[in-house]
Amino acid sequence: MRKDELSEFENAYTESIKEPEKFWFTAAQEIDWFKTPTKTLDISAAPHGHWFVDGELNTCFNALDRHINAGRGENAALIYDSPVTSTLKTFSFRELRDQVALCAGGLTELGVGRGDRVIIYMPMIPETIIAMLACARIGAIHGVVFGGFASAELAVRIDDARPKAIISASCGIEVNKVIPYMPLLNDAIKIANHKPSNVIVVQRSELESTLKKGRDLDWNDVLDNATPAECVPLKSTDPLYILYTSGTTGLPKGVVRDNGGHAVALNYSMKAIYNVEAGDVYWAASDVGWVVGHSYIVYGPLLRGCTTVLYEGKPVGTPDAGAFWRVISDHKVKSFFTAPTAFRAIKKEDPDASFVKKYDLSHFELLFLAGERTDPDTLEWAQEKLQRPVIDHWWQTETGWSIAANCAGYGLRPIKPGSPTLPAPGWHIDVLDEKSKPLPNGEVGALCGKLPMPPGSMLTLWEAPERFIESYFAEFPGYYKTADAGYLDDEGYVFVMSRTDDIINVAGHRLSTGGMEEVLSSHIDVAECAVIGVSDSLKGQVPVGLLVLKLGVERKNSEIIEECIQLVRKKIGPVASFKKAAIVSSLPKTRSGKILRGTMQKIADNEDYKIPATIEDASVLGKIDLAFQGVGLSNSRG
Ligand code: COA
Ligand code: AMP
């Protein structure tokens, strides 16, 4: 590694912190503006600042049209690789733009315009990306809902966003299971108070749905009859999308992203972090329903003019543990991004990585992991088997891109397993105690980002300005609270250890244990409950429920547990992976009544724990231990 490359990063980082306006003004020159911003940062706007406030642009124009105008119209923009349907399809920038313009025209004809919301509940098919970009083209705000969520979760999002239209598909395909989407969507619309005027449905040949007259329209009919729509100039701070993510209650947070800051930051990150340029092939194996999918399947690569891969499959089982290497080889992927859980799944099935040897990976340079902490075992395994740098990077739905990363575009820093390396440009990270005082290196505290947050960070929470301030800015004045705990080492490397709230990460999916507790509490026999995230060798964490039954309930425990498991699956969705629960006579609490979830989690994970001095009745802990053993956790694992 060259010394001057290291200093290039240091220079960039220092400028981003000391002179953020200069730094991001320069980055903004790489975006095409309809009206060039004269003001880079407006700190009066909100606690975290608004970016490029008087600029006007269109994100879709920057993702598609400008590449065509620059003569790259015939380059591949999107490769759809679907082992579950045996489909491979490539769209050039021109072909993708034409489809997007037609979809945008179709939406316009349905009365959808600037500021209107469109919910997108779809599987990993090109139409999902086309729908997102079509909304961006006309200034409609998309809200993509992950397909693994059930009707009730979808209904909450419909009521919160109040969409004029919903775009969906007849089905999704999970390995070899066909999941009908329309019954889920119809139920959600039935539950929701808000009713969309229209639903546009992509009919997939694996399962066609019956359309509701007067409300539902076939995707092909909408596009066939549409006039292509042009890009609408939007204010930099106009919302591009709402993406719902788990909060500490059952009500998800609607993270709102702007147009200007988002385009500047993502375009910058593609080179600075992932080291790719226009013409390179970039692949993020995630789902468009998550922030990783928004930022790095759709917007980031296309803004930069890269080819993006849309993969409808899994790391294993479609058809085998060599699936990722096959895609990387077939499409000449240069930078690849996925979640550590995917690697654990591959390692479990193919511990010697025998499939790696079958493919030509000569174009493949860098592997990026995020969504959860990359455990050193997984990192070292991947590094050894692939003989490529494996880069852990830390970010959140709220930030839209990395808070900490090893910025490959500036030359890699030494990798320390267990750390996502250094704060990314724009992020000054301090570790704070509960009085907001910075802690010395090595001490664990609240990881907080000094304000302003860099471009690309959330604009607000959808129609919840007070929750926005309360959740992120009230506890540590002058800082953004990440709600992650961790520490910095003497070289400034960040170590992210755990969440400070009740969010858990299951197979890289962010879920609220509080939300699951709300569902369990609604079961007729449950008096009280707690859900905790316990370690899992594949998914990182999985939820486990402890249920206290109402007095006098005499039904079989196993029946009640099964009903509770089904209830979470029905109300939240299969993605919750809620498969284990035990019935206990009481929960351990402090004398003031607070449930000791942290202590229970340590018992379940077989870790050392101290009996809290404030505990009401310490004997309950022994019973909890036994209950965990009954579901294969705690000491039973030995
Ligand atoms: N639509 C409908 N159902 C879905 C779904 C979707 N889009 N995504 C997941 N599900 C279902 C699964 O079929 C599964 O259902 P089941 O309980 O009937 O088996 C359930 O939700 C849990 O899914 P998941 O947690 O993904 O577990 P899995 O065993 O199916 O797969 C992995 C495990 C590791 C292979 C998988 O999680 C994976 O590929 N992860 C990659 C990382 C990733 O995408 N992370 C996202 C953020 S970067
Ligand atoms: P999400 O909003 O779904 O992207 O989830 C964000 C949360 O996932 C963070 O607050 C962290 O708790 C966790 N997370 C994401 N990436 C990492 C990482 N590289 N290391 C540790 N935790 C991570």
Side-chain angles (χ1 to χ4, degrees), residues 122-124 146-149 172-175 177 179 181 285-287 290 292-293 313-316 324 337-343 345 370-371 506-509 538-539 569 573-577 579:
M122 291 174 87
M124 291 282 284
F146 176 62
F149 282 121
I173 298 153
E174 280 290 292
V175 189
K177 272 184 299 182
I179 317 256
Y181 271 36
S286 175
D287 189 288
W290 305 109
V292 175
K314 298 269 174 180
V316 293
F324 278 4
F337 177 177
T338 190
T341 188
F343 265 77
V506 181
H509 309 315
L538 174 65
K539 298 194 178 187
R569 195 176 170 91
V575 68
S577 291
K579 298 202 165 148

